[in-house]
Amino acid sequence: MLTYGCQMNFSDAERMEGELDKLGYESIEDMEQADLIMINTCAVRENAEDKVYGKIGEIKNLKRKNPDLIFGITGCMAQKEGEKLIKRAPHIDFVLGTNKIQEVVSTVSKLEQAQEKHIVDTEINEKDMPEDISIHRKTALSAWVPIMYGCNNFCTYCIVPYVRGRERSRMPEDIVSEVQEAVKQGYKEVTLLGQNVNSYGKDHKKATFAELLSMVDKVEGIERVRYMTSNPKDLSDAVIDVIKNSQHICTHFHLPVQHGSNRILKAMNRVYTVEAYKELITKIRNAVPDATITTDIIVGFPGETEEDFQQLLDLMAWVRYDQAYTFIYSKRSGTPAAEMDEQVDDDVKHDRLNRLMELQNKISLEKNQQLQDKVVKVMVEGTSSNDDKVWSGRTSGNKLVLWPYQGHEKPGDLVEVKICQPQTWVLKGELA
Ligand code: SAH
Ligand code: SF4
Ligand code: F3S
């Protein structure tokens, strides 16, 4: 299975693979050897979709060589395009939407037995939240645990509410028992997932996000708790309080601001103002002085003027984020922003992105340089991807740390690393 997109998609993939274990499938790297290929897709920006179309094209040849190969598309693009994907590429055997994790088994077995030629199922039944799903966890460090599905916010640029449906929260006891299960399997860290975790529980009212965090914090054996993503409009004082007083919740706040101009924030339907956002940052810094704060930004939203963009740069300079994930606005048909006049020219978008990244890289480096010669606590992840003598891990603030392997550290261990060479994206050091 090839997976694109956000952590939620990777979590869904672990569940679909867990379910497919029941049919005797095992996951392998080499597509040429596969009996079943699935692409779990993302639709958030156009380039994410382009990548998938490229892969679909590549798989046509494999299908020609091996006519028994079963090929399916799942995830957000499957939800968005449905039937159209098969019209465009008839070598696709099945298309399953974002709420169809358990249906993977019956779909693949029907195709194995050639009961049907093509299967398309993209219905979202929001009441249907199956709990008895097998999970094939793949991460080394952190176990993904979805706490809620869908999104009700309808930010005007975003496709997610259309492809993931309305918000629905899992029961707190199911989440806690999944966390306990992950701990039993050896995980010491979990990441609670949702498009807007701060509205957790608003539907079933069994627990708020603050209460859920505190339940997970108390699970025996858990060392670190992370969560993604937090919409600034809903981050409550209660959540900040729980984090401040917790044992294990990480000191990392990912608070996507998206823009720094009130006019653009309004057009984006983000609901908060720059002033309210700044107040929130001040509150966090007062409560958790060593917090790492990161964000997501979109440049080139329709109607963005040079003045709006300057206000964005001003906000970035004021907050001084540890890291910012910056995106060029991508038009998603069906969303309100796609219909807005004054779409920004591509070269202006690219120029603004470069200027934004230049400022942010300078700030990220300066922030990391403050850690020069300091000793930080790191949870070991494993070998860094390109060198097995260099190992990597994360600080509580989610900063990536690299050090020369000393032979005794194991994934999941907490070790102390002295930072010798802080860079923009990584901290290089040695075991203290
Ligand atoms: N639920 C999360 C975001 C999920 S999408 C949240 O609200 O923070 C991840 C990021 O992709 C968003 O934060 C946004 O910055 C970016 N994004 C979403 N739609 C986009 C679009 N049409 N063009 C460019 N970036 C987009
Ligand atoms: Fe998209 Fe906004 Fe929902 Fe995040 S909160 S998924 S950006 S609509
Ligand atoms: Fe992409 Fe779907 Fe996630 S559109 S960002 S995979 S929710």
Side-chain angles (χ1 to χ4, degrees):
M1 174 150 12
L2 292 169
T3 298
Y4 297 91
C6 63
Q7 286 89 347
M8 188 61 94
N9 241 23
F10 282 84
S11 163
D12 288 349
E14 291 183 333
R15 282 155 201 263
M16 287 191 272
E17 289 197 5
E19 287 291 291
L20 283 167
D21 287 349
K22 293 179 186 163
L23 290 179
Y25 285 95
E26 267 172 56
S27 106
I28 53 168
E29 292 290 316
D30 183 6
M31 285 211 299
E32 304 256 347
Q33 304 295 319
D35 303 309
L36 167 67
I37 298 179
M38 283 165 62
I39 312 184
N40 194 27
T41 57
C42 171
V44 79
R45 284 171 291 274
E46 198 175 347
N47 56 7
E49 295 199 332
D50 291 345
K51 274 190 225 153
V52 170
Y53 281 121
K55 276 285 166 209
I56 291 176
E58 274 175 44
I59 289 161
K60 197 167 179 177
N61 282 328
L62 297 178
K63 194 78 184 166
R64 231 179 259 137
K65 280 192 225 154
N66 173 11
D68 291 335
L69 170 67
I70 298 175
F71 176 34
I73 308 288
T74 57
C76 295
M77 235 175 111
Q79 186 68 45
K80 176 168 164 269
E81 301 293 321
E83 193 84 47
K84 276 191 259 167
L85 282 169
I86 294 186
K87 292 225 169 78
R88 183 163 166 175
H91 62 290
I92 297 172
D93 298 300
F94 70 92
V95 176
L96 288 180
T98 52
N99 209 31
K100 296 289 162 198
I101 290 178
Q102 274 191 319
E103 283 73 2
V104 158
V105 171
S106 57
T107 303
V108 170
S109 54
K110 275 184 207 153
L111 290 163
E112 278 175 343
Q113 293 155 26
Q115 286 174 354
E116 285 178 58
K117 204 164 171 328
H118 289 301
I119 297 176
V120 179
D121 186 356
T122 57
E123 186 202 357
I124 298 188
N125 179 353
E126 276 146 8
K127 295 210 175 58
D128 190 17
M129 259 206 308
E131 281 298 338
D132 50 340
I133 302 179
S134 307
I135 312 169
H136 188 139
R137 295 200 184 276
K138 299 198 140 179
T139 46
L141 191 63
S142 200
W144 308 126
V145 178
I147 63 167
M148 60 192 299
Y149 304 100
C151 181
N152 289 355
N153 287 329
F154 290 96
C155 303
T156 55
Y157 49 82
C158 185
I159 195 77
V160 172
Y162 303 88
V163 292
R164 290 272 172 180
R166 295 296 64 72
E167 278 173 7
R168 48 224 188 265
S169 307
R170 292 175 71 193
M171 288 298 158
E173 58 272 22
D174 292 328
I175 295 166
V176 169
S177 83
E178 187 176 328
V179 172
Q180 287 165 334
E181 200 52 45
V183 170
K184 255 193 237 154
Q185 287 174 12
Y187 285 97
K188 294 183 179 145
E189 181 183 304
V190 291
T191 306
L192 308 178
L193 297 177
Q195 295 302 338
N196 177 16
V197 291
N198 298 308
S199 31
Y200 172 79
K202 286 190 179 154
D203 45 355
H204 59 41
K205 306 224 164 27
K206 300 279 188 224
T208 62
F209 183 55
E211 288 161 349
L212 179 72
L213 272 179
S214 128
M215 287 180 218
V216 174
D217 184 41
K218 294 193 185 86
V219 168
E220 190 146 335
I222 207 77
E223 299 270 4
R224 282 183 174 181
V225 181
R226 299 186 187 279
Y227 54 90
M228 292 212 95
T229 300
S230 195
N231 188 313
K233 82 177 167 65
D234 295 319
L235 183 66
S236 67
D237 291 354
V239 169
I240 299 177
D241 230 43
V242 169
I243 296 172
K244 180 181 166 185
N245 297 315
S246 81
Q247 298 291 312
H248 309 109
I249 304 171
C250 290
T251 52
H252 173 208
F253 290 78
H254 182 62
L255 279 177
V257 70
Q258 311 298 357
H259 213 279
S261 142
N262 281 334
R263 208 175 64 81
I264 298 292
L265 285 174
K266 188 150 187 253
M268 286 176 159
N269 190 30
R270 288 296 287 187
V271 183
Y272 50 85
T273 59
V274 172
E275 293 71 28
Y277 185 85
K278 281 178 157 178
E279 238 172 74
L280 184 61
I281 298 286
T282 305
K283 228 190 265 176
I284 293 170
R285 292 221 197 275
N286 287 337
V288 189
D290 62 345
T292 296
I293 304 183
T294 59
T295 199
D296 290 353
I297 308 272
I298 298 177
V299 293
F301 185 83
E304 180 193 74
T305 61
E306 182 58 29
E307 196 188 331
D308 294 319
F309 179 68
Q310 281 301 334
Q311 290 174 5
L312 171 58
L313 293 179
D314 290 347
L315 179 66
M316 306 284 286
W318 184 88
V319 178
R320 294 184 61 78
Y321 292 106
D322 290 271
Q323 214 63 260
Y325 301 89
T326 51
F327 306 103
I328 286 186
Y329 168 71
S330 168
K331 204 167 163 178
R332 305 286 63 210
S333 64
T335 63
E339 306 302 318
M340 291 178 186
D341 301 331
E342 303 179 76
Q343 298 284 332
V344 178
D345 286 346
D346 273 352
D347 46 349
V348 175
K349 285 185 191 168
H350 281 102
D351 175 59
R352 288 183 185 159
L353 182 72
N354 288 338
R355 286 153 65 200
L356 188 74
M357 281 166 56
E358 202 179 308
L359 171 65
Q360 183 52 45
N361 287 347
K362 182 171 157 277
I363 297 171
S364 296
L365 181 61
E366 285 168 5
K367 287 235 144 189
N368 284 348
Q369 278 168 342
Q370 289 169 1
L371 294 169
Q372 175 79 45
D373 298 328
K374 298 249 160 69
V375 174
V376 293
K377 209 174 244 180
V378 171
M379 192 177 276
V380 178
E381 185 157 19
T383 56
S384 89
S385 51
N386 41 18
D387 184 351
D388 59 6
K389 291 190 194 65
V390 177
W391 275 46
S392 71
R394 299 262 169 189
T395 66
S396 172
N398 207 32
K399 291 188 186 247
L400 181 63
V401 179
L402 303 179
W403 69 91
Y405 181 52
Q406 295 301 312
H408 58 78
E409 51 280 44
K410 301 184 301 303
D413 284 355
L414 278 170
V415 296
E416 295 200 320
V417 180
K418 185 177 171 195
I419 303 305
C420 315
Q421 226 189 314
Q423 299 177 351
T424 309
W425 290 92
V426 296
L427 301 168
K428 292 185 177 168
E430 50 198 36
L431 289 191

